[in-house]
Amino acid sequence: MADIPGQDAIVAILSADGAPPHIILDIGGSADLNGDGLVKASLDDAGTLVLEDA
């Protein structure tokens, strides 16, 4: 399994020119709501990282 980028790296990816509005991360074995390990990462209006169940 690939390493999951840290919070600063995710913010950098989402802040880059031409970046998508969100990315989906497969963090495997997580305690997300449905247990599939998929998490949606996006930035709110203030540039704060928001993680949601995907």
mmCIF file of all heavy atoms in Angstrom:
data_model
loop_
_atom_site.group_PDB
_atom_site.id
_atom_site.type_symbol
_atom_site.label_atom_id
_atom_site.label_comp_id
_atom_site.label_asym_id
_atom_site.label_seq_id
_atom_site.Cartn_x
_atom_site.Cartn_y
_atom_site.Cartn_z
ATOM 1 N N MET A 1 0.846 -1.174 0.000
ATOM 2 C CA MET A 1 0.000 0.000 0.000
ATOM 3 C C MET A 1 0.893 1.240 0.000
ATOM 4 O O MET A 1 1.899 1.293 0.687
ATOM 5 C CB MET A 1 -0.913 -0.013 1.226
ATOM 6 C CG MET A 1 -1.766 1.216 1.327
ATOM 7 S SD MET A 1 -3.120 1.211 2.540
ATOM 8 C CE MET A 1 -2.418 0.575 4.010
ATOM 9 N N ALA A 2 0.474 2.239 -0.728
ATOM 10 C CA ALA A 2 1.224 3.493 -0.818
ATOM 11 C C ALA A 2 1.067 4.292 0.471
ATOM 12 O O ALA A 2 0.087 4.158 1.189
ATOM 13 C CB ALA A 2 0.714 4.313 -1.995
ATOM 14 N N ASP A 3 2.067 5.125 0.736
ATOM 15 C CA ASP A 3 1.981 6.004 1.899
ATOM 16 C C ASP A 3 0.919 7.068 1.663
ATOM 17 O O ASP A 3 0.782 7.595 0.558
ATOM 18 C CB ASP A 3 3.319 6.693 2.157
ATOM 19 C CG ASP A 3 4.381 5.727 2.659
ATOM 20 O OD1 ASP A 3 4.014 4.703 3.260
ATOM 21 O OD2 ASP A 3 5.568 6.002 2.441
ATOM 22 N N ILE A 4 0.175 7.378 2.710
ATOM 23 C CA ILE A 4 -0.824 8.441 2.642
ATOM 24 C C ILE A 4 -0.109 9.762 2.926
ATOM 25 O O ILE A 4 0.638 9.866 3.902
ATOM 26 C CB ILE A 4 -1.941 8.212 3.690
ATOM 27 C CG1 ILE A 4 -2.614 6.849 3.499
ATOM 28 C CG2 ILE A 4 -2.968 9.341 3.641
ATOM 29 C CD1 ILE A 4 -3.254 6.633 2.152
ATOM 30 N N PRO A 5 -0.323 10.786 2.083
ATOM 31 C CA PRO A 5 0.351 12.069 2.328
ATOM 32 C C PRO A 5 -0.134 12.694 3.633
ATOM 33 O O PRO A 5 -1.274 12.479 4.050
ATOM 34 C CB PRO A 5 -0.047 12.919 1.125
ATOM 35 C CG PRO A 5 -1.235 12.259 0.533
ATOM 36 C CD PRO A 5 -1.172 10.808 0.905
ATOM 37 N N GLY A 6 0.723 13.470 4.261
ATOM 38 C CA GLY A 6 0.360 14.165 5.481
ATOM 39 C C GLY A 6 -0.580 15.322 5.204
ATOM 40 O O GLY A 6 -0.817 15.701 4.051
ATOM 41 N N GLN A 7 -1.114 15.897 6.268
ATOM 42 C CA GLN A 7 -2.074 16.987 6.150
ATOM 43 C C GLN A 7 -1.514 18.155 5.353
ATOM 44 O O GLN A 7 -2.195 18.696 4.483
ATOM 45 C CB GLN A 7 -2.499 17.437 7.540
ATOM 46 C CG GLN A 7 -3.574 18.490 7.519
ATOM 47 C CD GLN A 7 -4.115 18.805 8.912
ATOM 48 O OE1 GLN A 7 -3.741 18.167 9.890
ATOM 49 N NE2 GLN A 7 -4.977 19.775 8.997
ATOM 50 N N ASP A 8 -0.266 18.546 5.595
ATOM 51 C CA ASP A 8 0.330 19.671 4.859
ATOM 52 C C ASP A 8 0.441 19.360 3.372
ATOM 53 O O ASP A 8 0.214 20.235 2.527
ATOM 54 C CB ASP A 8 1.701 20.025 5.426
ATOM 55 C CG ASP A 8 1.619 20.629 6.823
ATOM 56 O OD1 ASP A 8 0.540 21.134 7.207
ATOM 57 O OD2 ASP A 8 2.633 20.588 7.534
ATOM 58 N N ALA A 9 0.783 18.132 3.030
ATOM 59 C CA ALA A 9 0.900 17.731 1.625
ATOM 60 C C ALA A 9 -0.462 17.749 0.939
ATOM 61 O O ALA A 9 -0.581 18.166 -0.217
ATOM 62 C CB ALA A 9 1.535 16.350 1.518
ATOM 63 N N ILE A 10 -1.498 17.305 1.644
ATOM 64 C CA ILE A 10 -2.853 17.312 1.067
ATOM 65 C C ILE A 10 -3.305 18.747 0.816
ATOM 66 O O ILE A 10 -3.853 19.061 -0.250
ATOM 67 C CB ILE A 10 -3.841 16.568 1.985
ATOM 68 C CG1 ILE A 10 -3.457 15.086 2.073
ATOM 69 C CG2 ILE A 10 -5.272 16.715 1.475
ATOM 70 C CD1 ILE A 10 -4.200 14.320 3.141
ATOM 71 N N VAL A 11 -3.052 19.643 1.768
ATOM 72 C CA VAL A 11 -3.412 21.056 1.590
ATOM 73 C C VAL A 11 -2.651 21.638 0.396
ATOM 74 O O VAL A 11 -3.224 22.360 -0.421
ATOM 75 C CB VAL A 11 -3.140 21.862 2.877
ATOM 76 C CG1 VAL A 11 -3.269 23.366 2.619
ATOM 77 C CG2 VAL A 11 -4.088 21.428 3.987
ATOM 78 N N ALA A 12 -1.378 21.307 0.254
ATOM 79 C CA ALA A 12 -0.580 21.796 -0.879
ATOM 80 C C ALA A 12 -1.150 21.304 -2.206
ATOM 81 O O ALA A 12 -1.237 22.061 -3.173
ATOM 82 C CB ALA A 12 0.876 21.375 -0.723
ATOM 83 N N ILE A 13 -1.541 20.041 -2.259
ATOM 84 C CA ILE A 13 -2.135 19.477 -3.485
ATOM 85 C C ILE A 13 -3.414 20.223 -3.843
ATOM 86 O O ILE A 13 -3.619 20.640 -4.992
ATOM 87 C CB ILE A 13 -2.422 17.969 -3.310
ATOM 88 C CG1 ILE A 13 -1.112 17.186 -3.221
ATOM 89 C CG2 ILE A 13 -3.309 17.440 -4.436
ATOM 90 C CD1 ILE A 13 -1.274 15.749 -2.720
ATOM 91 N N LEU A 14 -4.281 20.412 -2.860
ATOM 92 C CA LEU A 14 -5.573 21.052 -3.116
ATOM 93 C C LEU A 14 -5.458 22.554 -3.354
ATOM 94 O O LEU A 14 -6.363 23.161 -3.929
ATOM 95 C CB LEU A 14 -6.530 20.771 -1.947
ATOM 96 C CG LEU A 14 -6.970 19.314 -1.804
ATOM 97 C CD1 LEU A 14 -7.687 19.104 -0.470
ATOM 98 C CD2 LEU A 14 -7.857 18.896 -2.965
ATOM 99 N N SER A 15 -4.350 23.149 -2.925
ATOM 100 C CA SER A 15 -4.138 24.594 -3.108
ATOM 101 C C SER A 15 -3.431 24.931 -4.422
ATOM 102 O O SER A 15 -3.371 26.100 -4.814
ATOM 103 C CB SER A 15 -3.284 25.144 -1.960
ATOM 104 O OG SER A 15 -3.921 24.969 -0.723
ATOM 105 N N ALA A 16 -2.904 23.949 -5.100
ATOM 106 C CA ALA A 16 -2.134 24.174 -6.327
ATOM 107 C C ALA A 16 -3.019 24.708 -7.453
ATOM 108 O O ALA A 16 -4.227 24.432 -7.496
ATOM 109 C CB ALA A 16 -1.471 22.877 -6.767
ATOM 110 N N ASP A 17 -2.413 25.495 -8.342
ATOM 111 C CA ASP A 17 -3.138 25.984 -9.519
ATOM 112 C C ASP A 17 -3.688 24.815 -10.307
ATOM 113 O O ASP A 17 -2.978 23.846 -10.574
ATOM 114 C CB ASP A 17 -2.212 26.803 -10.425
ATOM 115 C CG ASP A 17 -1.876 28.162 -9.847
ATOM 116 O OD1 ASP A 17 -2.593 28.628 -8.937
ATOM 117 O OD2 ASP A 17 -0.875 28.764 -10.298
ATOM 118 N N GLY A 18 -4.956 24.888 -10.671
ATOM 119 C CA GLY A 18 -5.593 23.853 -11.471
ATOM 120 C C GLY A 18 -5.974 22.607 -10.688
ATOM 121 O O GLY A 18 -6.366 21.601 -11.287
ATOM 122 N N ALA A 19 -5.875 22.660 -9.365
ATOM 123 C CA ALA A 19 -6.207 21.500 -8.539
ATOM 124 C C ALA A 19 -7.703 21.209 -8.584
ATOM 125 O O ALA A 19 -8.514 22.126 -8.740
ATOM 126 C CB ALA A 19 -5.777 21.744 -7.096
ATOM 127 N N PRO A 20 -8.068 19.943 -8.418
ATOM 128 C CA PRO A 20 -9.490 19.605 -8.359
ATOM 129 C C PRO A 20 -10.093 20.126 -7.046
ATOM 130 O O PRO A 20 -9.353 20.429 -6.096
ATOM 131 C CB PRO A 20 -9.488 18.073 -8.380
ATOM 132 C CG PRO A 20 -8.163 17.699 -7.793
ATOM 133 C CD PRO A 20 -7.212 18.781 -8.245
ATOM 134 N N PRO A 21 -11.418 20.230 -6.972
ATOM 135 C CA PRO A 21 -12.044 20.742 -5.744
ATOM 136 C C PRO A 21 -11.897 19.791 -4.551
ATOM 137 O O PRO A 21 -12.018 20.204 -3.409
ATOM 138 C CB PRO A 21 -13.508 20.916 -6.125
ATOM 139 C CG PRO A 21 -13.707 20.004 -7.294
ATOM 140 C CD PRO A 21 -12.388 19.935 -8.002
ATOM 141 N N HIS A 22 -11.645 18.525 -4.831
ATOM 142 C CA HIS A 22 -11.429 17.540 -3.778
ATOM 143 C C HIS A 22 -10.649 16.359 -4.331
ATOM 144 O O HIS A 22 -10.533 16.205 -5.550
ATOM 145 C CB HIS A 22 -12.755 17.069 -3.166
ATOM 146 C CG HIS A 22 -13.595 16.278 -4.122
ATOM 147 N ND1 HIS A 22 -14.531 16.877 -4.941
ATOM 148 C CD2 HIS A 22 -13.643 14.953 -4.413
ATOM 149 C CE1 HIS A 22 -15.111 15.948 -5.682
ATOM 150 N NE2 HIS A 22 -14.587 14.776 -5.386
ATOM 151 N N ILE A 23 -10.103 15.566 -3.427
ATOM 152 C CA ILE A 23 -9.468 14.303 -3.816
ATOM 153 C C ILE A 23 -10.019 13.217 -2.910
ATOM 154 O O ILE A 23 -10.476 13.491 -1.790
ATOM 155 C CB ILE A 23 -7.924 14.367 -3.728
ATOM 156 C CG1 ILE A 23 -7.448 14.775 -2.331
ATOM 157 C CG2 ILE A 23 -7.344 15.283 -4.792
ATOM 158 C CD1 ILE A 23 -5.932 14.736 -2.159
ATOM 159 N N ILE A 24 -10.010 12.000 -3.414
ATOM 160 C CA ILE A 24 -10.454 10.851 -2.638
ATOM 161 C C ILE A 24 -9.221 10.056 -2.234
ATOM 162 O O ILE A 24 -8.394 9.708 -3.078
ATOM 163 C CB ILE A 24 -11.427 9.956 -3.444
ATOM 164 C CG1 ILE A 24 -12.640 10.755 -3.942
ATOM 165 C CG2 ILE A 24 -11.853 8.753 -2.608
ATOM 166 C CD1 ILE A 24 -13.548 11.308 -2.870
ATOM 167 N N LEU A 25 -9.092 9.803 -0.947
ATOM 168 C CA LEU A 25 -7.974 9.027 -0.419
ATOM 169 C C LEU A 25 -8.485 7.676 0.066
ATOM 170 O O LEU A 25 -9.548 7.598 0.689
ATOM 171 C CB LEU A 25 -7.316 9.759 0.747
ATOM 172 C CG LEU A 25 -6.779 11.155 0.466
ATOM 173 C CD1 LEU A 25 -6.361 11.828 1.774
ATOM 174 C CD2 LEU A 25 -5.609 11.078 -0.484
ATOM 175 N N ASP A 26 -7.738 6.635 -0.222
ATOM 176 C CA ASP A 26 -8.049 5.303 0.307
ATOM 177 C C ASP A 26 -7.085 5.057 1.456
ATOM 178 O O ASP A 26 -5.921 4.723 1.242
ATOM 179 C CB ASP A 26 -7.880 4.257 -0.785
ATOM 180 C CG ASP A 26 -8.249 2.855 -0.318
ATOM 181 O OD1 ASP A 26 -8.502 2.667 0.899
ATOM 182 O OD2 ASP A 26 -8.278 1.947 -1.159
ATOM 183 N N ILE A 27 -7.554 5.281 2.669
ATOM 184 C CA ILE A 27 -6.679 5.153 3.829
ATOM 185 C C ILE A 27 -6.797 3.783 4.489
ATOM 186 O O ILE A 27 -6.192 3.536 5.518
ATOM 187 C CB ILE A 27 -6.903 6.299 4.835
ATOM 188 C CG1 ILE A 27 -8.336 6.345 5.316
ATOM 189 C CG2 ILE A 27 -6.509 7.620 4.220
ATOM 190 C CD1 ILE A 27 -8.568 7.384 6.411
ATOM 191 N N GLY A 28 -7.570 2.899 3.896
ATOM 192 C CA GLY A 28 -7.671 1.507 4.330
ATOM 193 C C GLY A 28 -7.740 1.285 5.820
ATOM 194 O O GLY A 28 -7.013 1.873 6.582
ATOM 195 N N GLY A 29 -8.653 0.436 6.244
ATOM 196 C CA GLY A 29 -8.768 0.068 7.637
ATOM 197 C C GLY A 29 -9.152 1.216 8.547
ATOM 198 O O GLY A 29 -8.935 1.159 9.748
ATOM 199 N N SER A 30 -9.723 2.261 7.984
ATOM 200 C CA SER A 30 -10.047 3.430 8.793
ATOM 201 C C SER A 30 -11.376 3.247 9.502
ATOM 202 O O SER A 30 -12.137 2.326 9.231
ATOM 203 C CB SER A 30 -10.114 4.676 7.912
ATOM 204 O OG SER A 30 -11.273 4.634 7.097
ATOM 205 N N ALA A 31 -11.636 4.157 10.373
ATOM 206 C CA ALA A 31 -12.904 4.162 11.093
ATOM 207 C C ALA A 31 -13.865 5.155 10.449
ATOM 208 O O ALA A 31 -14.605 5.835 11.129
ATOM 209 C CB ALA A 31 -12.667 4.519 12.547
ATOM 210 N N ASP A 32 -13.837 5.236 9.112
ATOM 211 C CA ASP A 32 -14.780 6.137 8.454
ATOM 212 C C ASP A 32 -16.191 5.553 8.604
ATOM 213 O O ASP A 32 -16.368 4.430 9.071
ATOM 214 C CB ASP A 32 -14.404 6.374 6.987
ATOM 215 C CG ASP A 32 -14.489 5.134 6.137
ATOM 216 O OD1 ASP A 32 -14.205 4.036 6.640
ATOM 217 O OD2 ASP A 32 -14.850 5.248 4.970
ATOM 218 N N LEU A 33 -17.188 6.292 8.210
ATOM 219 C CA LEU A 33 -18.565 5.915 8.518
ATOM 220 C C LEU A 33 -18.973 4.548 7.990
ATOM 221 O O LEU A 33 -19.628 3.790 8.683
ATOM 222 C CB LEU A 33 -19.534 6.988 7.989
ATOM 223 C CG LEU A 33 -19.418 8.349 8.677
ATOM 224 C CD1 LEU A 33 -20.375 9.348 8.032
ATOM 225 C CD2 LEU A 33 -19.703 8.232 10.167
ATOM 226 N N ASN A 34 -18.593 4.218 6.766
ATOM 227 C CA ASN A 34 -19.042 2.939 6.225
ATOM 228 C C ASN A 34 -17.938 1.890 6.182
ATOM 229 O O ASN A 34 -18.137 0.798 5.666
ATOM 230 C CB ASN A 34 -19.702 3.111 4.850
ATOM 231 C CG ASN A 34 -18.765 3.682 3.818
ATOM 232 O OD1 ASN A 34 -17.585 3.862 4.074
ATOM 233 N ND2 ASN A 34 -19.310 3.982 2.643
ATOM 234 N N GLY A 35 -16.760 2.206 6.706
ATOM 235 C CA GLY A 35 -15.702 1.222 6.855
ATOM 236 C C GLY A 35 -14.955 0.848 5.588
ATOM 237 O O GLY A 35 -14.157 -0.087 5.603
ATOM 238 N N ASP A 36 -15.164 1.574 4.468
ATOM 239 C CA ASP A 36 -14.480 1.212 3.225
ATOM 240 C C ASP A 36 -13.106 1.862 3.095
ATOM 241 O O ASP A 36 -12.365 1.569 2.171
ATOM 242 C CB ASP A 36 -15.332 1.529 2.005
ATOM 243 C CG ASP A 36 -15.598 3.016 1.789
ATOM 244 O OD1 ASP A 36 -15.111 3.835 2.596
ATOM 245 O OD2 ASP A 36 -16.298 3.346 0.821
ATOM 246 N N GLY A 37 -12.759 2.775 3.990
ATOM 247 C CA GLY A 37 -11.445 3.417 3.971
ATOM 248 C C GLY A 37 -11.329 4.597 3.036
ATOM 249 O O GLY A 37 -10.264 5.186 2.930
ATOM 250 N N LEU A 38 -12.411 4.976 2.358
ATOM 251 C CA LEU A 38 -12.356 6.106 1.425
ATOM 252 C C LEU A 38 -12.752 7.400 2.131
ATOM 253 O O LEU A 38 -13.768 7.465 2.825
ATOM 254 C CB LEU A 38 -13.276 5.872 0.229
ATOM 255 C CG LEU A 38 -12.930 4.663 -0.627
ATOM 256 C CD1 LEU A 38 -13.954 4.512 -1.758
ATOM 257 C CD2 LEU A 38 -11.523 4.746 -1.170
ATOM 258 N N VAL A 39 -11.921 8.427 1.945
ATOM 259 C CA VAL A 39 -12.140 9.723 2.578
ATOM 260 C C VAL A 39 -12.013 10.811 1.515
ATOM 261 O O VAL A 39 -11.091 10.790 0.702
ATOM 262 C CB VAL A 39 -11.100 9.965 3.699
ATOM 263 C CG1 VAL A 39 -11.242 11.349 4.291
ATOM 264 C CG2 VAL A 39 -11.213 8.902 4.771
ATOM 265 N N LYS A 40 -12.947 11.753 1.508
ATOM 266 C CA LYS A 40 -12.913 12.901 0.596
ATOM 267 C C LYS A 40 -12.203 14.042 1.312
ATOM 268 O O LYS A 40 -12.601 14.441 2.408
ATOM 269 C CB LYS A 40 -14.339 13.316 0.228
ATOM 270 C CG LYS A 40 -14.422 14.560 -0.623
ATOM 271 C CD LYS A 40 -15.879 14.913 -0.871
ATOM 272 C CE LYS A 40 -16.037 16.290 -1.433
ATOM 273 N NZ LYS A 40 -17.463 16.646 -1.560
ATOM 274 N N ALA A 41 -11.153 14.554 0.701
ATOM 275 C CA ALA A 41 -10.395 15.679 1.257
ATOM 276 C C ALA A 41 -10.645 16.911 0.400
ATOM 277 O O ALA A 41 -10.532 16.858 -0.827
ATOM 278 C CB ALA A 41 -8.906 15.353 1.280
ATOM 279 N N SER A 42 -10.997 18.010 1.048
ATOM 280 C CA SER A 42 -11.225 19.271 0.349
ATOM 281 C C SER A 42 -10.818 20.407 1.277
ATOM 282 O O SER A 42 -10.497 20.192 2.445
ATOM 283 C CB SER A 42 -12.694 19.411 -0.070
ATOM 284 O OG SER A 42 -13.546 19.358 1.069
ATOM 285 N N LEU A 43 -10.826 21.629 0.739
ATOM 286 C CA LEU A 43 -10.528 22.812 1.534
ATOM 287 C C LEU A 43 -11.797 23.639 1.682
ATOM 288 O O LEU A 43 -12.546 23.802 0.716
ATOM 289 C CB LEU A 43 -9.447 23.663 0.867
ATOM 290 C CG LEU A 43 -8.093 23.002 0.651
ATOM 291 C CD1 LEU A 43 -7.159 23.959 -0.091
ATOM 292 C CD2 LEU A 43 -7.479 22.563 1.970
ATOM 293 N N ASP A 44 -12.038 24.162 2.894
ATOM 294 C CA ASP A 44 -13.173 25.064 3.065
ATOM 295 C C ASP A 44 -12.790 26.456 2.571
ATOM 296 O O ASP A 44 -11.686 26.667 2.072
ATOM 297 C CB ASP A 44 -13.672 25.062 4.515
ATOM 298 C CG ASP A 44 -12.696 25.650 5.515
ATOM 299 O OD1 ASP A 44 -11.680 26.271 5.109
ATOM 300 O OD2 ASP A 44 -12.943 25.497 6.728
ATOM 301 N N ASP A 45 -13.691 27.406 2.706
ATOM 302 C CA ASP A 45 -13.453 28.764 2.200
ATOM 303 C C ASP A 45 -12.261 29.448 2.852
ATOM 304 O O ASP A 45 -11.643 30.332 2.267
ATOM 305 C CB ASP A 45 -14.707 29.630 2.380
ATOM 306 C CG ASP A 45 -15.851 29.186 1.485
ATOM 307 O OD1 ASP A 45 -15.583 28.528 0.450
ATOM 308 O OD2 ASP A 45 -17.012 29.485 1.815
ATOM 309 N N ALA A 46 -11.899 29.019 4.057
ATOM 310 C CA ALA A 46 -10.758 29.604 4.767
ATOM 311 C C ALA A 46 -9.459 28.865 4.477
ATOM 312 O O ALA A 46 -8.407 29.220 4.992
ATOM 313 C CB ALA A 46 -11.030 29.594 6.271
ATOM 314 N N GLY A 47 -9.529 27.816 3.643
ATOM 315 C CA GLY A 47 -8.335 27.042 3.299
ATOM 316 C C GLY A 47 -7.992 25.961 4.294
ATOM 317 O O GLY A 47 -6.897 25.398 4.250
ATOM 318 N N THR A 48 -8.923 25.639 5.171
ATOM 319 C CA THR A 48 -8.724 24.581 6.162
ATOM 320 C C THR A 48 -9.100 23.231 5.561
ATOM 321 O O THR A 48 -10.118 23.110 4.874
ATOM 322 C CB THR A 48 -9.594 24.854 7.404
ATOM 323 O OG1 THR A 48 -9.276 26.144 7.925
ATOM 324 C CG2 THR A 48 -9.391 23.804 8.470
ATOM 325 N N LEU A 49 -8.301 22.238 5.826
ATOM 326 C CA LEU A 49 -8.557 20.897 5.314
ATOM 327 C C LEU A 49 -9.805 20.317 5.956
ATOM 328 O O LEU A 49 -9.972 20.351 7.175
ATOM 329 C CB LEU A 49 -7.351 19.987 5.593
ATOM 330 C CG LEU A 49 -7.443 18.561 5.077
ATOM 331 C CD1 LEU A 49 -7.534 18.529 3.549
ATOM 332 C CD2 LEU A 49 -6.230 17.761 5.549
ATOM 333 N N VAL A 50 -10.688 19.762 5.117
ATOM 334 C CA VAL A 50 -11.914 19.124 5.574
ATOM 335 C C VAL A 50 -11.884 17.682 5.077
ATOM 336 O O VAL A 50 -11.712 17.450 3.878
ATOM 337 C CB VAL A 50 -13.162 19.848 5.024
ATOM 338 C CG1 VAL A 50 -14.437 19.132 5.446
ATOM 339 C CG2 VAL A 50 -13.185 21.295 5.445
ATOM 340 N N LEU A 51 -12.047 16.728 5.986
ATOM 341 C CA LEU A 51 -12.103 15.318 5.636
ATOM 342 C C LEU A 51 -13.507 14.807 5.905
ATOM 343 O O LEU A 51 -14.061 15.028 6.981
ATOM 344 C CB LEU A 51 -11.078 14.517 6.442
ATOM 345 C CG LEU A 51 -9.621 14.913 6.251
ATOM 346 C CD1 LEU A 51 -8.737 14.153 7.229
ATOM 347 C CD2 LEU A 51 -9.167 14.673 4.826
ATOM 348 N N GLU A 52 -14.066 14.129 4.905
ATOM 349 C CA GLU A 52 -15.412 13.575 5.013
ATOM 350 C C GLU A 52 -15.413 12.154 4.512
ATOM 351 O O GLU A 52 -14.603 11.785 3.660
ATOM 352 C CB GLU A 52 -16.396 14.377 4.168
ATOM 353 C CG GLU A 52 -16.470 15.851 4.479
ATOM 354 C CD GLU A 52 -17.354 16.578 3.478
ATOM 355 O OE1 GLU A 52 -18.564 16.633 3.717
ATOM 356 O OE2 GLU A 52 -16.809 17.059 2.469
ATOM 357 N N ASP A 53 -16.361 11.371 4.984
ATOM 358 C CA ASP A 53 -16.527 10.025 4.455
ATOM 359 C C ASP A 53 -16.895 10.121 2.973
ATOM 360 O O ASP A 53 -17.700 10.945 2.583
ATOM 361 C CB ASP A 53 -17.625 9.305 5.235
ATOM 362 C CG ASP A 53 -17.745 7.846 4.861
ATOM 363 O OD1 ASP A 53 -16.717 7.224 4.548
ATOM 364 O OD2 ASP A 53 -18.869 7.319 4.889
ATOM 365 N N ALA A 54 -16.256 9.311 2.159
ATOM 366 C CA ALA A 54 -16.537 9.344 0.712
ATOM 367 C C ALA A 54 -17.441 8.185 0.318
ATOM 368 O O ALA A 54 -17.466 7.166 0.929
ATOM 369 C CB ALA A 54 -15.236 9.271 -0.071
#
